[in-house]
Every structure is written in C-alpha cells, then in structure tokens.
Amino acid sequence: MKEDFLSKLDDGQLKAVTSTNSRILCLAGAGSGKTRVLTTRIFYLIQKFKIRPENILAITFTKAAAREMLLRLSLLGTDIKDLWCRTFHSACYRILREVSNKKEISQNFKVADQITQDKIMKQCIADLQKNRDFAYNLNSFIEENNWTLDLFFEETYKLIKECKSRFISLDDLVEKAKKVRDDEAREFLRLVYLIFKSYQERLKKLNIFDFSDLMNRVIFLLENDKSVSGHYQKRFEFILVDEFQDVNLSQVRLLELLCSAKNNLFVVGDDWQSIYGFRGGDVHHILDFKKVYPDCESIILPYNYRSDGNIVNAASRVIKNNSRQMRKKIKAFHPANGKINIVRAEDKARGDSFVTDTIKKLVLKGIKQKDIMILGRTWRVIDVFLKNLPKLGLKEVRITTVHGAKGQEAKVVFIAGLYKGRGGFPHIKDDYEITREIRETNRNERLEEERRIFYVAMTRAKERLFLITEKDNQSMFVREVSRRYVREINC
C-alpha cells in the first residue's frame, strides 16, 4: 500500500476511510473531498483488509461519477475489472442480466432511455385517442382546466414515474380514484390509469423495461426469492453509496434488500445539498439514517477546500435558516480574501448587461472562459447569455441551471435571476390540485429545498461570487446573506 496516501487526508477524511463500523453515515459538505474519501476507502479495503474487488458495490448517481471513481482507483493501481462501480440503474441491469436465464426473464430484454419512454407513452396516448370516449374525456379535461396537451403529457408522465417509485400499482390507482371527491382530480386519475395500463402493456409486448420498472423488478426478485437476495448479500460484503441525500424510496428499498446484518454499509452525502425532490429524491432518508440504524457511526468532513472563506461562511449562514437539517460546522480551508458581490440592478436587462460587461473585463484581465460560470434557477433567466455572449466573441460553454452544475466548480460564478415572483429564485411551482392525490405538497419543505439549491449555487464558486438581483424586488435568499461578507454594487 502506498504509505504516503493516507497522510494526505485530513482527520475527518482519514476517519471515514479507515473506520471499521458496519454502518457509517459520512456527512460530506461542499468541496470536502468526498470522491477522494470514497475511492480511498475502496482502495484501503482492498489493500489493508484484502477485500476482493468483486465483493464491493459502489453506487453513484451518474455514469460520469462512476467513470471518475474508476479512473482514480486505476491510477492508484487497483484492479477494477471485477469491481461494481455503477449507477443504481446500471447495477439493476447487471443483476437482471445475471438472473434472467434462471428466473424466466427473457434474456433479450431492452431498457428504454428517456427518449424511447417518451415516444412509447405518446404513442399510447395517440392510440387511446382513437377511442371516441377517451378522446372526448381528454379534450374536455384539457379545455376545462386550461391545460395544453404537452402539459397533460408532462404531468401524466411525472405521475406515472412517481407511482412507480412509491410502489403504487394500477390497482392502487383505481382505489385512489374512487376516494377522490374532486371531479376534475378523479377524471385525471382515470385518464392516467388508462394511459398507465396501455404503457405497461406496450412495454411488456416490446420486452422493454423503463428505468423505474428495471429497479422495481429487481426489488421484487430480492423480496420474493431468498436465493437471489442471499446470493447478492453474500457477494457484496461492502456497499458504498454516493450522494445519499438524493435517494428515493425505491432506491432505499433496494439497498435494504442488498444489505443484510452481516454486510457493511457506507453512505456519503450532505443534506444541505439535497436538491432533487422534483424527481423523487427525499432528504428525509439521510436525515433519518440514524433512526433506521441506531448503532451507525456518523462522521463529518468539516473542511471546504474549494471556496473562499467568505463564501463558505455566508453560504453556511444561509442554509442554517432551514429547520430540518443535520447541524454541522463547516470550516473554510482558504482564508477570506474577497467579498461576495451583490449586484442590485434597476431591471433584468441592466443586470444581464452587468454580467456580460464584467465577463468581458475578466477575460481581458486573463481569466480563462472555462473558469467562469453563469448559473440560473431556470433556463429562462440565463438563455439571454447563450444568445448574447457569442456575439461578443465569447464562447462561454459554462452556462447552466444550478442542477446542471451539481458537482462542478469555477473560479468566478454569477448567479442570475435572484428576484421575487414568477421565474425567480426561490422558484416554487405548486402541484396542480388534481395531482395532489399522489404527490403531496408541503410548501415549507419546498422552500427549504429552494434554499438548498441556492446553497449549492453559492458553493460552486472558488474565488469570486456575484449575486444578481433587482432593486426593490430582491430574492429573500439575497437578504439572508450576511452583510459582513458582501459588498454592494448598483447598476
């Protein structure tokens, strides 16, 4: 083992890498080196305890993150050929492939990507519209609720996906529809039921799994076949999970079934960065981890190695306005060299011009364009930069939403659109009344998620941070940034 490798870790990282507790919750703040901890722990298990790579399951949320972990492990000299470092869906795909010949599952099954899922569901709706009653009910519903067909499709797709992640079957949906008092909500659920049924029948006929069914089929096998669950519990002695703050109910259930009392479970995440509630992620899973596993060891990675001290301290103060969180003290490794810039513009146009002009000046001073990032809560507030910057000879490829920037960083970050109201930040879009039978709305929880999104946006910045708002219409989050860390600019 490379003796100097552990010496490069701080105390929190070292504890997370070397702990022998069978249940570990590692709270890794922004810029705390969690990828280093995960890869080093795997390396440590293989080298120190002679754990075979095939007995380790490392779960990530993206293929890019999995590739990054495998690259780092290979650079350490680890044999990664038999190591399972995969996304949840990739792991389920591999399991289903391995058991398909034994469990009457066609080995020729395919997995539908997002484009294919959309195409199949739209075809189902088109075929159902050939039925006069369905077409009449659909058109009446859309007209009476002032929806478009695209909006209906979007809400139907989200609801079906949420039903699957919450294990709500077609029969369950029928029962829910019976209990609904609101006529419009009941009619919507009836329409969704017919589309859901047609969609599932078509998937079965085509021998295709969508991502949700892929996971749920593996969960079903693990729940109902002890030989399958026993096999994988024995294989995966050590299970490590990245970004645990974003797991949903079905992903947690999968982990429970793979992890027996004899397995080791190591989860790493940060409740302050849980921002995927819109796709089923539930921060309560990381908040309640110690309730589920009372004997677990909780380890905090306290240092932010990415951002200027003022950014770290200001962001930490903002996020502490959330009521449901795991209290922790995050320390800045870097000193406080510069103030956060709060830019108060007369209107959006002037704010946009300030961003464009400032970027031009930064580039002239030698800042590379790849070291500059423009973030918005929605594409609506940042589309203007995609159009205008190329006209100025600036090929600015780092313009994205906050969700798109998760896991990234830049020396200079602009957060645009920090104003109140529609399209602003916070951006809370209430569920439609008729969809609440499945998707319950809690406005306070949504506000707290918006604050976490703002925290993630702030902590992408390494050196300089600009918050772009409007005079007399500033976001509540701007007001939560302590004035001791900022300087004000009017334009």
Side-chain angles (χ1 to χ4, degrees):
M1 184 175 181
K2 298 181 179 180
E3 294 298 330
D4 66 332
F5 198 81
L6 293 181
S7 66
K8 297 179 180 179
L9 305 177
D10 65 34
D11 291 344
Q13 293 172 340
L14 182 64
K15 188 176 182 181
V17 167
T18 60
S19 175
T20 56
N21 197 299
S22 63
R23 300 287 184 271
I24 299 173
L25 169 61
C26 179
L27 294 169
S32 63
K34 71 176 179 64
T35 304
R36 168 183 278 192
V37 165
L38 278 168
T39 52
T40 309
R41 182 169 174 82
I42 294 171
F43 179 67
Y44 184 78
L45 290 171
I46 294 171
Q47 297 295 322
K48 177 72 173 180
F49 295 103
K50 308 303 178 186
I51 304 299
R52 296 169 61 164
E54 59 263 34
N55 296 134
I56 297 173
L57 170 63
I59 294 288
T60 69
F61 265 80
T62 66
K63 292 179 181 179
R67 286 194 296 267
E68 175 66 18
M69 285 182 63
L70 289 171
L71 175 62
R72 294 195 189 193
L73 284 165
S74 65
L75 292 175
L76 289 171
T78 306
D79 182 5
I80 61 173
K81 179 170 61 72
D82 296 320
L83 175 70
W84 278 44
C85 183
R86 294 173 173 267
T87 64
F88 276 103
H89 294 124
S90 174
C92 287
Y93 176 83
R94 174 87 178 264
I95 290 172
L96 212 55
R97 281 290 180 208
E98 289 186 347
V99 303
S100 62
N101 61 332
K102 302 175 185 177
K103 301 300 172 185
E104 298 181 353
I105 300 170
S106 171
Q107 290 184 310
N108 297 321
F109 75 83
K110 299 176 182 178
V111 178
D113 59 18
Q114 189 65 56
I115 295 174
T116 304
Q117 291 175 48
D118 289 352
K119 182 178 179 180
I120 292 173
M121 191 168 291
K122 287 178 178 177
Q123 187 60 56
C124 289
I125 294 174
D127 288 347
L128 284 167
Q129 284 181 294
K130 295 175 183 177
N131 179 285
R132 183 179 300 176
D133 290 339
F134 179 90
Y136 175 80
N137 291 335
L138 174 59
N139 292 332
S140 297
F141 175 84
I142 289 174
E143 183 177 330
E144 289 170 10
N145 289 280
N146 197 29
W147 282 21
T148 63
L149 185 60
D150 285 341
L151 177 58
F152 176 84
F153 173 80
E154 179 185 337
E155 289 300 313
T156 298
Y157 180 82
K158 285 196 297 186
L159 204 57
I160 290 175
K161 187 175 181 180
E162 192 138 5
C163 282
K164 291 185 177 187
S165 71
R166 293 174 182 266
F167 307 113
I168 296 173
S169 67
L170 279 166
D171 291 338
D172 295 330
L173 202 59
V174 170
E175 292 304 312
K176 282 185 175 291
K178 290 178 181 178
K179 297 174 184 177
V180 175
R181 294 182 180 179
D182 181 81
D183 290 341
E184 298 300 327
R186 187 166 57 250
E187 183 59 34
F188 178 69
L189 290 180
R190 286 174 178 166
L191 291 167
V192 170
Y193 167 79
L194 292 171
I195 296 167
F196 194 173
K197 186 172 183 291
S198 175
Y199 176 67
Q200 291 303 110
E201 289 172 349
R202 191 174 293 259
L203 288 177
K204 185 176 181 180
K205 182 178 180 180
L206 296 171
N207 196 22
I208 289 177
F209 289 102
D210 66 13
F211 291 138
S212 298
D213 286 341
L214 180 69
M215 182 169 295
N216 288 347
R217 186 58 185 269
V218 172
I219 289 172
F220 178 83
L221 284 172
L222 294 171
E223 285 178 331
N224 294 279
D225 193 320
K226 298 300 180 185
S227 66
V228 175
S229 58
H231 170 76
Y232 287 102
Q233 287 170 0
K234 184 177 179 181
R235 176 188 284 190
F236 300 131
E237 296 177 44
F238 290 84
I239 300 174
L240 302 92
V241 186
D242 191 12
E243 306 285 10
F244 191 74
Q245 75 277 353
D246 292 320
V247 292
N248 62 31
L249 182 62
S250 59
Q251 290 163 343
V252 168
R253 182 59 183 148
L254 178 68
L255 292 172
E256 290 172 346
L257 292 165
L258 289 173
C259 193
S260 71
K262 295 181 180 179
N263 296 79
N264 289 265
L265 178 63
F266 178 96
V267 303
V268 59
D270 181 13
D271 59 298
W272 290 2
Q273 298 186 75
S274 177
I275 64 172
Y276 289 101
F278 70 92
R279 70 179 189 193
D282 190 341
V283 70
H284 294 94
H285 292 304
I286 192 169
L287 293 176
D288 295 338
F289 189 83
K290 296 183 77 171
K291 293 180 182 178
V292 179
Y293 303 104
D295 296 328
C296 82
E297 180 179 10
S298 181
I299 300 171
I300 296 176
L301 305 185
Y303 285 101
N304 180 315
Y305 291 97
R306 174 187 297 150
S307 303
D308 177 272
N310 278 328
I311 296 172
V312 173
N313 294 329
S316 295
R317 285 204 174 194
V318 168
I319 200 64
K320 286 178 180 177
N321 287 293
N322 278 359
S323 58
R324 285 221 65 186
Q325 61 171 288
M326 306 187 85
R327 299 285 174 182
K328 47 191 175 290
K329 173 65 176 176
I330 300 299
K331 307 169 188 176
F333 180 78
H334 298 292
N337 290 320
K339 298 283 189 179
I340 296 171
N341 301 280
I342 294 183
V343 182
R344 289 190 170 84
E346 291 290 342
D347 52 35
K348 185 179 185 303
R350 290 201 183 185
D352 294 344
S353 294
F354 174 88
V355 173
T356 303
D357 293 342
T358 303
I359 290 176
K360 285 167 59 180
K361 293 174 184 176
L362 290 170
V363 172
L364 288 173
K365 289 181 179 179
I367 300 293
K368 295 179 180 178
Q369 293 185 45
K370 67 181 181 65
D371 291 326
I372 302 171
M373 184 183 290
I374 304 175
L375 299 179
R377 175 62 183 86
T378 65
W379 281 108
R380 178 180 176 181
V381 299
I382 53 177
D383 271 345
V384 62
F385 302 112
L386 290 171
K387 297 174 183 175
N388 292 343
L389 286 174
K391 295 177 183 176
L392 301 173
L394 298 171
K395 300 189 182 300
E396 190 68 64
V397 291
R398 306 195 71 185
I399 303 173
T400 186
T401 62
V402 182
H403 288 92
K406 186 73 165 63
Q408 299 181 35
E409 62 186 29
K411 287 183 178 180
V412 184
V413 171
F414 297 83
I415 306 177
L418 286 166
Y419 52 82
K420 294 184 292 186
R422 186 179 179 185
F425 201 165
H427 176 71
I428 300 178
K429 180 182 177 183
D430 286 333
D431 290 328
Y432 293 98
E433 189 72 34
I434 55 179
T435 68
R436 291 180 185 172
E437 294 303 318
I438 304 297
R439 189 187 307 116
E440 297 180 5
T441 297
N442 182 319
R443 191 169 182 83
N444 185 58
E445 287 188 357
R446 292 196 173 195
L447 177 60
E448 295 204 346
E449 177 155 318
E450 289 295 308
R451 188 175 284 112
R452 293 194 294 269
I453 295 170
F454 182 58
Y455 173 83
V456 168
M458 292 182 72
T459 54
R460 299 311 93 195
K462 297 170 71 174
E463 298 174 5
R464 300 181 68 181
L465 176 62
F466 293 83
L467 308 179
I468 316 300
T469 186
E470 295 178 8
K471 292 177 182 177
D472 303 319
N473 190 34
Q474 65 180 2
S475 163
M476 62 182 291
F477 297 150
V478 173
R479 296 196 301 270
E480 291 177 0
V481 178
S482 174
R483 291 302 172 264
R484 66 184 293 187
Y485 304 117
V486 308
R487 74 178 182 119
E488 314 239 353
I489 301 173
N490 293 308
C491 69

